[in-house]
Amino acid sequence: MNAHAHAAPTAPQTRAPLDPARIRCDFPLLGRSVHGKPLIYLDSANTSQKPAVVIEAVDHFYRHMNANVSRAVHQLGEEATTAYEGVRTRLAQFLGAPSRDEIVLTSGTTQAINLVAYSYALPRLAPGDEIVTTMMEHHANIVPWQLVCERSGATLKVAPITPAGELDVARYLELLGPRVKLAAVTHVSNVLGTINPIAQIAREARRRGIPLLVDGSQAAPHLPVDVKALGCDFYAVTGHKLFAPTGTGALWARRELLADMPPFFGGGEMIREVSFSGTTFADPPQRFEAGTPNIAGFIGLGAALDYVQSLGRERMAAYEHALLEYATAALQAVPGLRIIGEAAHKVAVISFLIDGVHGHDLATLLDQEGVAVRSGHHCAHPLMAFYGVPATVRASFSIYNTRDEVDRCVAAIDRVRKLLA
Ligand code: PLP
């Protein structure tokens, strides 16, 4: 008899909340001290720390598998190619992409957006055409559009945000007129933490026949992402904010859009046939992947995706959201502290200013206390101009941060504030 025939129906699995003490053991660097104080790393929106599984995957690649991909028939070459191409498949699953052939491996979001700017947008732009972006973008989702607009005579339109740091969605949609060839928006702001309503924007862009590019740099480390459910056309991610090595990332794009895009970089691996009478190109995604990639980095990215999957993205988001609420309340209690970015839907990123205290001074003195925060314009000059400030201090959190760290950070801020005010 089938051993399982009389098994009781299994209850839906509810997993215990993330245990930050256990998570911290996965990240070797978090054990170090800075200026004689235990490190409190609150700069994960800049780059995340890396779990041991990622470091070990890179190490294992170089010790046991190192070879170039797609070029050799020898055993090492085959192993390296299989491992590397496996990461493309995992990225497709991670992003909910219908096909692994829709994943172009890039050095990060910046390269992914530039690929769309030069290969998709530029050939389609004529004088008088428009591209739409927003006031809350990272320079990576502004400057490439400015460059292709300059070359083509097109205009870059900018959707406003509210003082609370939410996108003015109605204004964004109003800007999606008949001359718009491409709309761009960040999923999550790296300064404000705001989560934008991508599915709504994508639905409206689609109704108007305008392709939508989403900068997912700050979303992928914090939220479940499913490009099919979002309904956008291009989605860019970067590995180094997602527990993976620097120099890794990806562009997901709909197959029919990629098929119609000319190459951006020329060189090895992106061709079908080269001759001086004419060169033909490989199909996507290889058409956009000239040259030797960051193979070890991508192997590390594969390990990072497995790590995230093993923890569960909903669980990670729930843990971080609770930490965001705790940290927001704790920071709001600091006299003279003003939080910039108070959207209803946020990830665990908090930008702030303190009356009479220069951000760089604060960040420098916090560093002396072992607290790593970022101060500056965060590659978002237009957003700083909107708030009328040259810079903010930003504390950005990840699954390895704890309430105890928040308390110690706030106590350090208070000490520094009294010293500087
Ligand atoms: N977009 C956003 C929202 C970012 O926060 C960043 C990095 O800070 C980037 C783009 C650029 O990513 P990368 O430098 O990895 O290409």
Side-chain angles (χ1 to χ4, degrees):
M1 192 176 84
N2 179 342
H4 300 292
H6 301 296
T10 47
Q13 293 276 319
T14 47
R15 294 178 72 188
L18 280 193
D19 174 3
R22 277 201 52 199
I23 299 282
R24 289 180 71 80
C25 297
D26 296 336
F27 291 81
L29 186 140
L30 296 179
R32 70 163 282 181
S33 53
V34 169
H35 305 303
K37 308 272 171 51
L39 168 69
I40 299 178
Y41 187 75
L42 301 181
D43 199 17
S44 295
N46 203 354
T47 197
S48 67
Q49 294 304 337
K50 318 303 175 202
V53 284
V54 168
I55 300 166
E56 283 156 14
V58 173
D59 181 83
H60 182 267
F61 173 77
Y62 279 126
R63 282 179 196 280
H64 302 288
M65 214 190 272
N66 180 46
N68 210 333
V69 289
S70 317
R71 293 181 186 188
V73 293
H74 55 66
Q75 180 66 22
L76 285 185
E78 275 185 25
E79 286 179 17
T81 304
T82 303
Y84 175 76
E85 286 298 330
V87 178
R88 194 188 305 278
T89 307
R90 256 125 94 204
L91 265 167
Q93 287 159 356
F94 186 80
L95 296 174
S99 161
R100 67 188 299 283
D101 292 338
E102 296 179 340
I103 301 289
V104 181
L105 300 177
T106 67
S107 63
T109 301
T110 303
Q111 191 191 336
I113 296 177
N114 275 277
L115 169 59
V116 178
Y118 285 93
S119 181
Y120 178 82
L122 187 57
R124 289 168 173 76
L125 287 174
D129 285 343
E130 293 165 356
I131 290 181
V132 174
T133 188
T134 86
M135 186 59 82
M136 69 168 80
E137 302 302 318
H138 186 281
H139 295 163
N141 206 15
I142 298 174
V143 183
W145 311 123
Q146 288 178 322
L147 291 171
V148 294
C149 283
E150 235 167 65
R151 283 210 198 175
S152 60
T155 308
L156 184 61
K157 298 275 180 178
V158 184
I161 63 170
T162 66
E166 289 180 328
L167 180 63
D168 185 337
V169 178
R171 284 289 298 134
Y172 189 95
L173 300 181
E174 272 170 34
L175 288 176
L176 299 183
R179 297 304 308 258
V180 176
K181 290 289 184 293
L182 186 123
V185 64
T186 195
H187 195 166
V188 167
S189 159
N190 62 316
V191 180
L192 308 167
T194 309
I195 304 171
N196 285 319
I198 299 301
Q200 182 195 356
I201 294 171
R203 223 176 14 252
E204 293 299 323
R206 183 146 279 257
R207 270 193 338 116
R208 294 160 171 81
I210 299 170
L212 179 70
L213 174 137
V214 179
D215 176 349
S217 308
Q218 298 287 348
H222 301 291
L223 306 171
V225 172
D226 184 325
V227 293
K228 282 199 298 298
L230 290 174
C232 57
D233 299 282
F234 299 100
Y235 197 94
V237 291
T238 193
H240 72 95
K241 298 183 199 290
L242 191 49
F243 312 115
T246 52
T248 62
L251 172 73
W252 167 78
R254 289 185 192 280
R255 182 192 293 268
E256 59 275 20
L257 298 178
L258 283 180
D260 218 16
M261 285 163 55
F264 175 36
F265 288 124
E269 301 307 320
M270 48 75 73
I271 48 82
R272 187 167 289 147
E273 184 84 44
V274 177
S275 86
F276 286 112
S277 55
T279 290
T280 52
F281 304 112
D283 288 334
Q286 279 75 23
R287 186 188 299 165
F288 308 107
E289 297 178 358
T292 300
N294 178 6
I295 306 165
F298 279 104
I299 304 291
L301 175 57
L305 297 181
D306 289 349
Y307 179 74
V308 167
Q309 200 147 337
S310 75
L311 296 180
R313 284 196 275 177
E314 301 282 0
R315 263 169 107 217
M316 291 166 63
Y319 177 78
E320 288 181 358
H321 187 72
L323 196 61
L324 170 68
E325 290 191 334
Y326 184 81
T328 302
L331 286 167
Q332 273 166 342
V334 175
L337 188 146
R338 173 163 72 105
I339 291 179
I340 310 256
E342 295 177 300
H345 300 289
K346 279 186 70 169
V347 303
V349 168
I350 306 178
S351 275
F352 59 90
L353 293 168
I354 298 182
D355 289 343
V357 177
H358 195 286
H360 282 305
D361 294 342
L362 180 63
T364 306
L365 288 171
L366 286 179
D367 179 55
Q368 295 299 315
E369 305 249 1
V371 181
V373 292
R374 182 168 175 195
S375 87
H377 53 69
H378 315 291
C379 298
H381 280 159
L383 184 60
M384 296 295 117
F386 173 79
Y387 282 106
V389 298
T392 70
V393 178
R394 180 184 70 186
S396 53
F397 301 85
S398 184
I399 45 170
Y400 39 66
N401 294 121
T402 64
R403 289 183 176 210
D404 178 54
E405 286 184 318
V406 171
D407 293 343
R408 285 189 286 144
C409 169
V410 171
I413 289 174
D414 217 33
R415 280 194 295 279
V416 170
R417 179 184 67 81
K418 286 177 183 145
L419 203 72
L420 293 175

